[in-house]
């Protein structure tokens, strides 16, 4: 600030409610009187009047704020090799302020929500058709939920069994048949597209996936695929621990169906002899597990490559914490706050707030951040490195935990008694950049966000989030209301954790909010989903991402997740395979909005068109 300390260019004085500035000697903050200031100004009005500051408010000084402030720092950097009066290049006039801002737009849809005849969406043909539809609208981003194997009680992808593996239930069955890994006679019975029944899908697919893996491993005609699988295995050594852990929790009698911290001591502590014995005992199932992970990886990377060829990038999603019952923790016990048995000492959550009197107790084991720093954040480099194999960018859920996190005793029944602790901050991201190159993340910074979280996000250049459904309840200073948006952000009408916009308007929006929205958006509310999408695309935010349910104008029967509930989540499906033709009108509408608000991309035709 201009009035800060001995290194400031100016001191400030107050007079009749106005702020005046005076040149500082840069050696001390000398007291200045109002009368003295005006006498000095009058005496030097002819000789120094152009040097006198005329500001009447305390503002950031662009001359000292550096390049990112668009102040003199950036100007000096562009022409630093030139002296005053030097000739500028002939192309000088072509370098205008009207350069493209690379504004983008995208859509949220998890692959399990895609059309498909076998009970759930897959990463096969329907995923390619969806990419074609996204590209036809001019949108450049497809955001997915975590692709990890979901836990099998509530089927949440945010409580995955392994942070590095893919969900093999998404593997395309028809693609396995085309590859010869299954026979046409193996096709499951086709069922109408409805809410995903994950239990039925799991039970029907496990035998098919086992058959496909065994053929890959045993038949000579698949030697080429086996070479690819061996390459996948060598490039991703984490899959060995993941495969062994799966066998121990699913197949071995003295370890299955119990927490790994309750296992016999030798295997719990990963003694070399115990690991070697378990690996030998489960050799066939380990090979099968790795084969299926390779097939998932192969199919998904084909989808990603096709999307990228259409100028559509994949945005992934990564919860900050991992589950206790996972290879991620068992294989790296020294990096978590665990007791001697391996049980968590402190767990994650958030403190009480306006929405919960007792806070939220998540139960994930907390990281031992000093231990991560000592090992050079290699665990995090492996995790983010895997993410960038599967995605072009990754949204990090609960980003605020990198600045400050809520620590709760693992024995507590609520989150009320927790304490705030300092996170790793920018040091983590500097290390990741050194190891991986630029780490392209979106910072999920919703909820109660303190100054250190904002400063960390800005320091690493990560965009934050604004959500239009949160914008209308607290007046014109609300962070999420459009006139307060900032360029380096992602604007969502709502996310997968929210109601659909139509559902929110019908079921949850207060009358005062509705009246404010009608005034603000100049709307009657009859197409509120369209209003919110248009406002999101119009926003100054560099990126805008909308839910497919909003594009389809669906109510809360299409909601993906209701946080805190345990039923009817994650199972929504978009409809039959002709849905993309039915959405032609909506796609054309989006395309026009993107052209109107400078979010366009080159539109490429589907392959073979």
């Amino acid at each position: 600030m201009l009035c800060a300390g001995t290194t400031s260019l100016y001191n400030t004085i107050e007079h009749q409610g106005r702020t005046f500035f005076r040149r500082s000697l840069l050696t001390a903050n000398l007291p200045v009187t109002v009368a003295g200031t005006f006498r000095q100004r009058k005496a030097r009005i002819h000789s120094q009047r152009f040097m006198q500051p005329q500001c009447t408010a305390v503002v950031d000084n662009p001359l000292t704020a550096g390049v990112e402030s668009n102040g003199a720092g950036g100007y000096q950097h562009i022409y630093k090799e030139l002296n005053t009066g030097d000739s500028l290049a002939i192309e000088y006039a072509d370098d205008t302020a009207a350069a493209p801002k690379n504004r983008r737009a995208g859509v949220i849809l998890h692959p399990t929500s895609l059309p498909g005849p076998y009970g759930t969406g897959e990463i096969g043909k329907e995923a390619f058709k969806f990419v074609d539809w996204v590209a036809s609208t001019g949108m450049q981003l497809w955001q997915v939920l975590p692709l990890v194997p979901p836990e099998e009680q509530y089927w949440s992808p945010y409580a995955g069994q392994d942070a590095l593996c893919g969900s093999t239930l998404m593997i395309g069955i028809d693609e396995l048949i085309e590859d010869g890994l299954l026979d046409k006679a193996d096709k499951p019975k086709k069922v109408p597209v409805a809410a995903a029944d994950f239990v039925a899908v799991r039970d029907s697919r496990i035998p098919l996936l086992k058959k496909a893996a065994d053929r890959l491993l045993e038949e000579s005609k698949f030697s080429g695929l086996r070479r690819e699988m061996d390459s996948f295995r060598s490039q991703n050594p984490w899959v060995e621990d993941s495969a062994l852990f799966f066998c121990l929790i699913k197949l071995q009698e003295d370890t299955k169906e119990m927490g790994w911290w309750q296992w016999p001591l030798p295997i719990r502590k990963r003694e070399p002899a115990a690991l070697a014995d378990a690996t030998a005992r489960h050799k066939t199932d380990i090979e099968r597990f790795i084969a299926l992970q390779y097939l998932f990886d192969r199919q998904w990377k084909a989808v990603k490559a096709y999307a990228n060829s259409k100028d559509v990038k994949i945005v992934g999603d990564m919860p900050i914490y991992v589950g206790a019952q996972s290879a991620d923790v068992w294989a790296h016990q020294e990096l978590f706050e665990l007791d001697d048995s391996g049980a968590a000492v402190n767990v994650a959550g958030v403190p009480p707030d306006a929405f919960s009197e007792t806070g939220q107790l998540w139960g994930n084991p907390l990281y031992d951040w000093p231990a991560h720093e000592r090992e050079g954040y290699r665990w995090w480099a492996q995790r983010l490195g895997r993410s960038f194999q599967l995605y072009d960018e990754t949204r990090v859920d609960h980003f605020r935990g990198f600045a400050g996190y809520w620590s709760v005793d693992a024995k507590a029944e609520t989150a009320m008694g927790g304490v705030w602790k300092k996170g790793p901050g920018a040091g983590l991201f500097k290390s990741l950049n050194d190891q991986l190159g630029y780490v392209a993340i979106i910072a999920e910074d919703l909820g109660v966000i303190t100054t250190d979280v904002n400063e960390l996000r800005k320091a690493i250049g990560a965009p934050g989030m604004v959500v239009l459904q949160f914008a209308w309840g607290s007046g014109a200073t609300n962070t999420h209301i459009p006139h307060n948006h900032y360029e380096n952000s992602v604007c969502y009408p709502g996310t997968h954790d929210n109601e659909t916009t139509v559902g929110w308007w019908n079921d949850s929006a207060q009358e005062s909010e509705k009246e404010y929205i009608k005034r603000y958006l100049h709307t009657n509310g009859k197409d509120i989903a369209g209003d919110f999408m248009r406002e999101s695309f119009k926003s100054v935010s560099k990126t805008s991402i909308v839910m497919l349910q909003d594009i389809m104008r669906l109510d809360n029967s299409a909601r993906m997740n209701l946080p805190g509930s345990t039923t009817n989540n994650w199972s929504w499906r978009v409809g039959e395979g002709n849905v993309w033709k039915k959405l032609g009108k909506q796609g054309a509408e989006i395309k026009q909005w993107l052209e109107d608000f400078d979010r366009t991309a080159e539109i490429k035709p589907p392959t073979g068109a």
Side-chain angles (χ1 to χ4, degrees):
M1 304 294 288
L2 293 178
C3 58
T6 58
T7 59
S8 171
L9 291 175
Y10 302 102
N11 294 323
T12 65
I13 58 171
E14 299 291 335
H15 178 65
Q16 295 181 354
R18 299 183 66 192
T19 305
F20 296 94
F21 295 85
R22 178 191 172 188
R23 190 81 176 182
S24 169
L25 296 178
L26 301 181
T27 57
N29 283 325
L30 301 179
V32 182
T33 66
V34 175
T37 299
F38 285 110
R39 283 195 298 271
Q40 293 167 12
R41 180 171 296 175
K42 183 176 180 180
R44 293 180 292 182
I45 191 168
H46 296 293
S47 62
Q48 297 185 6
R49 71 180 189 179
F50 296 112
M51 297 177 59
Q52 287 300 316
Q54 301 298 311
C55 302
T56 59
V58 177
V59 295
D60 289 333
N61 184 355
L63 297 178
T64 61
V67 175
E68 292 185 357
S69 71
N70 297 319
Y75 175 84
Q76 291 165 352
H77 174 74
I78 294 172
Y79 302 112
K80 64 181 180 181
E81 303 300 329
L82 298 178
N83 296 316
T84 303
D86 286 351
S87 297
L88 295 168
I90 193 169
E91 299 87 4
Y92 170 71
D94 297 329
D95 180 16
T96 69
K101 292 186 176 181
N102 299 313
R103 285 160 57 80
R104 315 178 300 169
V107 59
I108 306 174
L109 184 74
H110 197 49
T112 58
S113 296
L114 287 165
Y118 306 130
T120 186
E122 302 173 338
I123 52 176
K125 290 183 178 62
E126 291 296 342
F128 289 83
K129 291 179 182 178
F130 177 61
V131 168
D132 285 337
W133 181 82
V134 173
S136 75
T137 69
M139 291 189 288
Q140 307 100 318
L141 302 170
W142 174 12
Q143 181 173 327
V144 299
L145 309 188
L147 297 179
V148 299
E151 51 79 27
E152 295 186 359
Q153 183 176 7
Y154 306 118
W155 298 93
S156 170
Y158 291 89
Q161 299 179 39
D162 191 295
L164 303 175
C165 288
S167 174
T168 56
L169 296 183
M170 294 185 194
I171 292 176
I173 297 298
D174 288 341
E175 284 65 32
L176 295 180
I177 294 172
E178 290 175 3
D179 290 337
L181 294 168
L182 290 177
D183 300 322
K184 289 183 179 180
D186 294 322
K187 277 192 175 185
K189 180 182 178 181
K190 292 185 177 182
V191 296
V193 174
D197 183 344
F198 293 114
V199 174
V201 169
R202 176 196 62 191
D203 294 346
S204 66
R205 291 200 181 197
I206 285 178
L208 298 178
L209 295 174
K210 179 177 179 293
K211 181 176 181 178
D214 289 346
R215 279 191 172 178
L216 171 60
L217 293 166
E218 297 167 4
E219 296 186 13
S220 60
K221 64 180 179 180
F222 298 116
S223 59
L225 289 181
R226 282 197 295 275
R227 285 192 294 272
E228 288 184 13
M229 183 188 75
D230 291 341
S231 178
F232 165 79
R233 189 171 186 171
S234 64
Q235 292 172 14
N236 297 280
W238 52 263
V239 78
E240 308 293 341
D241 283 322
S242 297
L244 178 56
F245 187 81
F246 173 84
C247 294
L248 292 170
I249 64 173
K250 296 291 187 180
L251 305 174
Q252 186 163 306
E253 289 299 326
D254 63 343
T255 55
K256 70 178 183 180
E257 298 180 356
M258 64 177 69
W260 66 262
W261 50 92
Q262 299 170 318
W263 291 352
L265 184 63
I267 194 66
R268 185 201 325 160
K269 291 296 186 180
R270 296 175 55 84
E271 294 178 4
L275 290 176
D277 176 70
T279 300
R281 187 188 315 181
H282 298 291
K283 182 178 186 301
T284 299
D285 288 300
I286 288 172
E287 297 285 335
R288 187 178 289 140
F289 180 96
I290 293 173
L292 291 176
Q293 283 302 310
Y294 157 69
L295 290 173
F296 169 87
D297 194 78
R298 181 171 180 260
Q299 287 193 4
W300 177 251
K301 285 181 177 175
V303 173
K304 179 179 180 294
Y306 183 74
N308 291 167
S309 76
K310 300 292 183 182
D311 292 331
V312 174
K313 291 185 176 183
I314 305 295
V315 180
D317 206 343
M318 188 187 79
I320 186 174
Y321 296 115
V322 296
Q325 182 72 337
S326 67
D328 311 295
V329 180
W330 173 65
H332 302 278
Q333 298 171 42
E334 73 282 1
L335 299 178
F336 295 84
E337 295 188 10
L338 310 176
D339 63 20
D340 290 339
S341 73
V345 173
N346 296 301
V347 295
V350 291
D353 57 23
F355 302 101
S356 174
E357 294 181 354
T358 59
Q360 298 179 38
L361 187 61
W362 297 338
N364 308 76
L366 290 174
Y367 299 111
D368 183 339
W369 283 116
H372 281 271
E373 183 177 11
R374 287 192 296 272
E375 61 105 42
Y377 296 112
R378 290 192 302 273
W379 185 92
W380 277 98
Q382 175 179 265
R383 190 179 182 197
L384 266 296
R386 174 59 175 164
S387 289
F388 294 123
Q389 289 180 15
L390 303 177
Y391 319 121
D392 297 293
E393 304 170 32
T394 297
R395 188 191 85 121
V396 179
D397 201 38
H398 200 62
F399 174 84
R400 73 109 53 246
F402 293 124
Y405 59 95
W406 191 244
S407 174
V408 185
D409 190 306
K411 298 183 178 64
E413 295 182 358
T414 74
M416 295 177 68
V419 295
W420 285 109
K421 292 188 177 180
K422 186 179 184 299
L428 166 63
F429 294 95
K430 182 182 184 304
S431 178
L432 291 175
N433 283 332
D434 290 342
Q435 296 178 67
L436 302 174
Y438 175 64
V439 178
I441 68 169
I442 296 170
E444 185 276 292
D445 56 351
L446 305 177
V448 178
I449 298 301
T450 47
T451 301
D452 57 337
V453 181
N454 287 326
E455 293 303 315
L456 175 60
R457 181 187 60 73
K458 293 175 183 177
I460 66 173
M465 290 173 55
V466 288
V467 180
L468 293 182
Q469 285 187 28
F470 299 158
W472 315 102
S474 56
T477 60
N478 188 304
T479 300
H480 300 275
I481 204 163
H483 62 258
N484 289 328
H485 292 181
Y486 54 99
E487 281 196 63
N488 194 25
S489 65
V490 183
C491 180
Y492 296 84
T495 75
H496 66 278
D497 278 336
N498 293 112
E499 299 170 82
T500 68
T501 299
V502 171
W504 175 79
W505 182 263
N506 291 340
D507 301 340
S508 299
Q510 301 296 313
E511 286 303 317
S512 58
E513 292 177 307
K514 291 182 178 181
E515 290 304 316
Y516 191 9
I517 290 168
K518 289 176 181 178
R519 293 196 310 273
Y520 194 98
L521 301 185
H522 303 286
T523 181
N524 58 16
K526 291 182 179 180
D527 182 22
I528 194 64
D531 294 331
F532 271 35
M533 285 190 292
R534 186 174 59 253
E535 197 67 19
S536 179
F537 295 143
K538 187 192 302 184
S539 168
V540 71
S541 298
K542 180 177 178 180
T543 303
S544 167
I545 300 179
V546 302
M547 291 190 290
L548 187 64
Q549 294 96 315
D550 284 348
I551 295 173
M552 299 174 73
R553 273 56 168 193
L554 300 178
D555 61 20
N556 278 337
S557 62
R559 184 170 184 170
M560 193 62 172
N561 180 47
L562 177 60
S565 70
T566 58
T567 57
N568 301 319
N569 290 326
W570 318 114
S571 60
W572 177 72
R573 304 282 304 285
V574 67
E576 299 289 351
N578 62 352
V579 64
W580 311 122
K581 290 184 179 179
K582 291 183 177 180
L583 289 176
K585 178 181 177 181
Q586 291 88 335
E589 178 183 52
I590 290 171
K591 182 180 176 183
Q592 185 62 61
W593 283 337
L594 300 189
E595 291 174 356
D596 290 344
F597 304 127
D598 189 24
R599 294 189 187 273
T600 54
E602 179 185 0
I603 297 176
K604 297 185 179 181
T607 298

